[in-house]
Amino acid sequence: MFFNAIFRTQYFLAAWKHVRVFSILKPGKGQALPSSYRPISLLETIGKLFEKILLSRILYEVSGGGLPHDRKFWFRPKHITALQLARLVEKVSSNFEEKRLKGAVFLDVAKAFDTVWVDGLLYKLTILDFPSYLLKTISLYLNGRTFEASFQTATSTSHRMRAGVAQVGIISPILFSMYVNDMHSPSLHVELALYANDTAVIATSSQTALLPKYLETYLSNIKRWLSEWRIAIDVSKSSSPRAVGASRYPEQYSSSGSQSNGSTTPVILE
């Protein structure tokens, strides 16, 4: 009854949207660098209970609309990491028999949950025909969030979150999946494999010289999409194209199609 009243009255307690962040030192990292610490976020327990109910309603709408795309393996029943890896291995293995090559670029979204454009997400959910009451509840859940950070014995003052979905939010994974669900569709020679905030862009051809061209064309299109929806790529966690298939050893190619010296910069950012 209490949780149903939230959907009816569209009132969400501010305390349930307040996040307490604690910093934990990563193993083997120096204490002087902020990047050496892993932020751990905590939410109110009763607020997370409501999120479970909210999640069930979101999943009902998602499943009814046939979302997310089949190439998306994350936060979906019977779509675990191992299945995505097995799918890629099977496709690469088949190329050996068909004497074809596969080139791939591996991209990692920087601070995926923290940088989601909330208004953009709500717009996409509207396009997906989510019920108005559910859209209002999700908007209420995402807007007006606050946080405070604690380190050792010190605690900061409360600050407002300007973007993103909660790192520890139960509904955050599915919301992020919906946010990137309209990623530019691949062409005949290019396919996608997605898991969480990782994306593999894979091109197939019997001609080595065509692989960089197929990849560059798609990456040029997706670059515009990334800019439009305010999504950034983490260069340090992304990999440059590799061709695997007909030859015995993998060959690495730069964006111009020639062999590179092992640079790890993805062509999308060149």
Side-chain angles (χ1 to χ4, degrees):
M1 293 292 293
F2 178 67
F3 289 149
N4 287 335
I6 295 176
F7 290 106
R8 186 175 63 255
T9 63
Q10 296 295 301
Y11 179 76
F12 200 94
L13 291 175
W16 294 0
K17 298 193 290 184
H18 183 71
V19 181
R20 289 175 291 171
V21 183
F22 297 87
S23 298
I24 306 297
L25 182 65
K26 299 176 183 177
K29 299 293 184 178
Q31 299 184 11
L33 297 175
S35 59
S36 298
Y37 293 85
R38 187 183 308 280
I40 305 297
S41 303
L42 299 179
L43 292 169
E44 291 291 338
T45 301
I46 193 168
K48 298 192 75 169
L49 290 176
F50 173 74
E51 282 190 55
K52 288 188 175 182
I53 298 174
L54 182 56
L55 175 62
S56 66
R57 302 200 180 194
I58 293 175
L59 291 178
Y60 176 80
E61 297 298 328
V62 167
S63 60
L67 300 169
H69 285 305
D70 288 338
R71 60 179 178 257
K72 185 78 175 179
F73 280 62
W74 188 43
F75 209 73
R76 298 177 63 192
K78 302 179 182 180
H79 285 69
I80 60 176
T81 312
L83 289 179
Q84 183 69 291
L85 293 174
R87 172 174 172 265
L88 292 179
V89 170
E90 189 277 331
K91 289 182 177 294
V92 171
S93 298
S94 66
N95 284 344
F96 283 97
E97 299 176 1
E98 300 169 2
K99 300 186 182 302
R100 293 192 301 171
L101 290 167
K102 274 193 181 297
V105 176
F106 299 91
L107 305 174
D108 182 277
V109 176
K111 299 180 179 179
F113 283 11
D114 295 334
T115 56
V116 170
W117 180 25
V118 174
D119 288 343
L121 170 63
L122 294 174
Y123 169 78
K124 292 187 178 186
L125 295 180
T126 302
I127 296 300
L128 292 173
D129 203 25
F130 269 50
S132 59
Y133 88 92
L134 194 54
L135 282 171
K136 291 179 181 178
T137 304
I138 294 173
S139 176
L140 192 66
Y141 168 84
L142 293 177
N143 287 297
R145 304 191 69 85
T146 58
F147 75 96
E148 63 183 40
S150 297
F151 182 72
Q152 296 180 352
T153 59
T155 300
S156 72
T157 56
S158 180
H159 296 273
R160 184 174 65 88
M161 292 183 179
R162 298 180 179 179
V165 294
Q167 282 280 358
V168 292
I170 297 174
I171 67 172
S172 296
I174 191 63
L175 290 180
F176 180 77
S177 292
M178 293 297 97
Y179 188 60
V180 299
N181 192 65
D182 63 342
M183 181 178 291
H184 194 275
S185 298
S187 65
L188 176 63
H189 302 284
V190 177
E191 59 185 315
L192 299 179
L194 301 94
Y195 190 86
N197 60 327
D198 299 316
T199 300
V201 183
I202 307 164
T204 304
S205 176
S206 58
Q207 302 181 46
T208 304
L210 292 178
L211 290 176
K213 295 180 181 179
Y214 291 152
L215 290 170
E216 284 180 349
T217 299
Y218 180 78
L219 292 173
S220 177
N221 292 330
I222 200 178
K223 185 177 181 179
R224 291 192 291 270
W225 178 84
L226 290 169
S227 176
E228 179 181 1
W229 296 106
R230 307 179 184 181
I231 300 173
I233 297 299
D234 189 334
V235 179
S236 64
K237 296 181 180 179
S238 301
S239 302
S240 56
R242 289 185 179 273
V244 180
S247 62
R248 181 178 178 183
Y249 300 103
E251 299 172 351
Q252 193 168 26
Y253 296 89
S254 66
S255 60
S256 62
S258 60
Q259 289 187 337
S260 72
N261 59 2
S263 170
T264 58
T265 304
V267 289
I268 190 173
L269 299 177
E270 290 184 351

